[in-house]
Amino acid sequence: MSPTNKTKTIVVLHGPNLNMLGLREPDVYGYTRLAEIDTQLETLGKQWGITIQTFQSNHEGAIVDRIQAGLGIVDGIIINPAAYTHTSIAIRDALLTLSVPVIEVHISNIHRREPFRHHSMIADVATGQIIGLGINGYYLALRAIADIIGATPS
Ligand code: DQA
């Protein structure tokens, strides 16, 4: 296998309170549990020959640590920083360290919600955003990043 067609690795990062998906404000976030989303991403990843690593934390520093751990290892990042979207310079800086494609996902349409949710600290360092399409946003993000990193269906 040449270095160019080595298996790609995508890390999927979930921020605070996303461990409560399915239980938390289901009118906003739906009834699907995070474990189901992660399993589905792993299944879809296999179809693209992509290794999916998933990580959820309620702690900003733990998310920064996980991003840093991917330096030189991961080919792309899908991240829903949840509430840290609106506040975290630390997560923004960590993403910039890696220089890999980043897709920002939000289950809800943050622009239709409270004004404090309208601004994302990572929007301008992300390759793209998928917002307001429910949990499908994660699967669309994987499809998009597969293209961007040149993964091929296996
Ligand atoms: C969210 C939107 C954020 O404003 C919120 O704090 C979340 C989830 C979303 O996926 O819609 O926790 O990122």
Side-chain angles (χ1 to χ4, degrees), residues 92-153:
R92 173 195 173 89
D93 286 349
L95 291 171
L96 282 170
T97 306
L98 259 60
S99 301
V100 296
V102 174
I103 309 284
E104 177 183 358
V105 172
H106 296 286
I107 296 168
S108 65
N109 183 347
I110 55 177
H111 301 293
R112 294 183 67 173
R113 300 183 63 192
E114 305 95 318
F116 64 83
R117 294 186 202 276
H118 294 180
H119 184 255
S120 163
M121 297 298 291
I122 71 160
D124 65 318
V125 304
T127 309
Q129 297 172 299
I130 299 179
I131 294 177
L133 301 181
I135 62 165
N136 277 333
Y138 289 102
Y139 313 138
L140 294 167
L142 179 55
R143 179 66 186 80
I145 212 164
D147 261 5
I148 292 166
I149 66 174
T152 42

